[in-house]
Each structure stands twice: as structure tokens, then as C-alpha cells.
Amino acid sequence: MRRRFKSVEELTFADDGMFQAVLREPDICAELVERLLGVRVGRVEYPQLEKAIAPFYTTKGVRLDVYLKDEDKVIDVEMQSYPQEALGKRARYYQSMLDMDALMKGQSYKSLKESYVLFICDFDPFKNKNGAAIGLPRYTFKSLCLENKAANLDDKSVKVLYNASAYKSEGDEKIRALLRFIHTNEPGDGFSRRLKEIVERIKDSERFKGDYAAMNLHDQDIMDEARLEGVAIGARQNAEENAENLLKMNVLTMEQIAQATSLPLERVLELQKNLAAGVKA
């Protein structure tokens, strides 16, 4: 089944594509980051990953939503509208990409800037041991020493994950209004109303419509390739299982088994060797 992508008219601020487009406005990007991270953003830049990293970066199937920097910090901002597997490891990978990008540009590890990975989730990314949502609106992670918290690693890296669905529990009025807008699409203050206006304006942009369609086609191609690869892997596994069964029956030659299963003769011989050694394929 092919994934259904939203039409442009259906998009909200929290949707992939629209989120990136809105945050391409530097003052909006700075305001959002300052609200959610509580850090001052002096001047917003939107750097591209170093060419030397790009091939590795794209082969991992990851695309940063918004990657920005100013004089003393680099920040990756990600919108997560639906649950993802291994979100913590995804955040770890993104942060490593920020560091690698800086190092590839000649910066020494001693002069690495403060690094923030900000995930804005429209769901609670954490559950307790009973499987129930923990329910916090914000989760902040820094490296600390388990034996003595006074020992500060001071690696200048922070990961912050917001849970917009718990906006009612947020004590900060400005953050609460922003999280509410993300979760409900209902603006409740001046900033969220401005976000809503920008979203509506972008929907009328022919350039955005073209970019959004191209992005969806690209994402669909990736999913189709993954599906076809999964089908091919499944077919190969079935063929190898059939070959093993025929080998155990010991009634056909190696060449006949290869022909019957469409496996290379070399693979059939390898399977025979593994069976003799008691190794499962």
C-alpha cells in the first residue's frame, strides 16, 4: 500500500515540508528556538552539510529539517508528527552529524560550538516501565556522571525533546501557546497567529507546491525501493530454505538444485558446506 501524502491545502505547521518552509524565515526560526531552548540566537545561518559528508549523510536516509547556526552554537530542529523507532539514537546520530560537519570544515574538536538537537514531537516520546506515557511536556538530556553529578563532562551538547500533546502541563505561557498550536493547529498568542498566517501564505506559493510535490515523489521512491528490496530479500531467503531442504533430501545434484531454486551454484555449494558444518544460513 502506498503512503498517502497530504495535499497542500491540508498541511499545518507541524507537517513535513511546511515546517521547514516556515522556519526558512530567520526571525521566525530564531523566535521558535529561543522560546523552546531558552538560548539567545544572534544571527541565523542555514549552512549546508560539507560535500565530503553529504554522500554518507544521504545514504542513511536522514534529512535534517532545519540546521542553523550563529556565532557560538549549532542547532538542529526536527519536527516529529508521528512516533519513530529509536528516537534517542536518531538524536545521537543527528548530533554527530553536526560535529562531523564542523570538523570537516577544519574546526578542531577543542573549538566545537555548543550543539543542540531539538525534537518537537506531537506525541509523548517516552513511556514508563508499564508502557504508559510519562507525560512531561519537555525532556532535556545532557551528559552527566552517574557516580558524582559534580563531575561535569562539559561537552557542550544538549538534546531536548518536546511533547506537544502535554501542552497543558507546560508552565511557561509562551511555550504552552506554541505547543498547543503545534498539537491543535489553533493559535493562542501573537507568535502562533503569525505562524498560522505564514502557513496560509506559503500554501499559495507555486514554488512551494512544486517543491512539496518533488519531496513527496522522492520520499515515495525511497519507500518503494525499500519495499522492493524487502520483497527481494524475502524471495532469496525462501529460495535458500528450499535449497537447504533439497540438499537434506540428497536426491538432486548441486546443479539441479541451483536450477530449481534460481540460486547461483556457488551459493548452493556454500549452503551445502554450512549444513555439513551445522551452520544455519
Side-chain angles (χ1 to χ4, degrees), residues 85-96 119 159 161:
E85 291 186 0
L87 198 59
K89 291 182 179 179
R90 182 180 292 263
R92 169 183 166 183
Y93 176 63
Y94 287 1
Q95 200 148 50
S96 71
F119 274 56
K159 301 178 184 70
L161 293 87

Side-chain angles (χ1 to χ4, degrees), residues 94-128:
Y94 287 1
Q95 200 148 50
S96 71
M97 294 302 298
L98 302 185
D99 291 340
M100 186 60 67
D101 186 47
L103 294 173
M104 291 297 295
K105 292 173 181 175
Q107 186 176 347
S108 71
Y109 71 87
K110 292 181 181 180
S111 58
L112 285 173
K113 297 181 178 183
E114 288 183 80
S115 172
Y116 294 85
V117 172
L118 170 60
F119 274 56
I120 307 170
C121 304
D122 196 21
F123 56 90
D124 197 325
F126 298 104
K127 292 179 171 55
N128 61 26

Side-chain angles (χ1 to χ4, degrees), residues 1-5 16 82 216 219-220 223-224:
M1 181 182 295
R2 292 175 70 86
R3 173 182 168 188
R4 177 188 176 274
F5 292 98
D16 194 25
Y82 54 91
N216 285 347
D219 289 351
Q220 188 64 62
M223 288 187 290
D224 287 345

Side-chain angles (χ1 to χ4, degrees), residues 134-177:
I134 292 177
L136 294 178
R138 170 175 172 149
Y139 302 89
T140 303
F141 299 90
K142 296 183 178 180
S143 300
L144 58 87
C145 177
L146 297 179
E147 289 74 19
N148 190 327
K149 295 181 180 179
N152 185 2
L153 190 61
D154 196 28
D155 62 358
K156 306 295 184 185
S157 66
V158 183
K159 301 178 184 70
V160 179
L161 293 87
Y162 271 95
N163 167 22
S165 67
Y167 68 88
K168 293 180 181 179
S169 301
E170 174 55 50
D172 185 289
E173 183 178 352
K174 290 184 176 181
I175 296 177
R176 183 169 63 251

Side-chain angles (χ1 to χ4, degrees), residues 233 235-244 247 254-255 257-259 261-275 279-281:
I233 291 173
R236 185 170 65 249
Q237 290 175 339
N238 287 335
E240 291 183 352
E241 289 177 2
N242 290 335
E244 286 185 340
L247 286 166
M254 300 296 106
E255 291 78 6
I257 293 175
Q259 184 176 8
T261 59
S262 299
L263 289 173
L265 178 60
E266 293 78 7
R267 180 55 179 157
V268 174
L269 293 171
E270 184 178 355
L271 291 172
Q272 183 192 40
K273 181 178 179 181
N274 290 343
L275 282 175
V279 178
K280 181 66 178 176

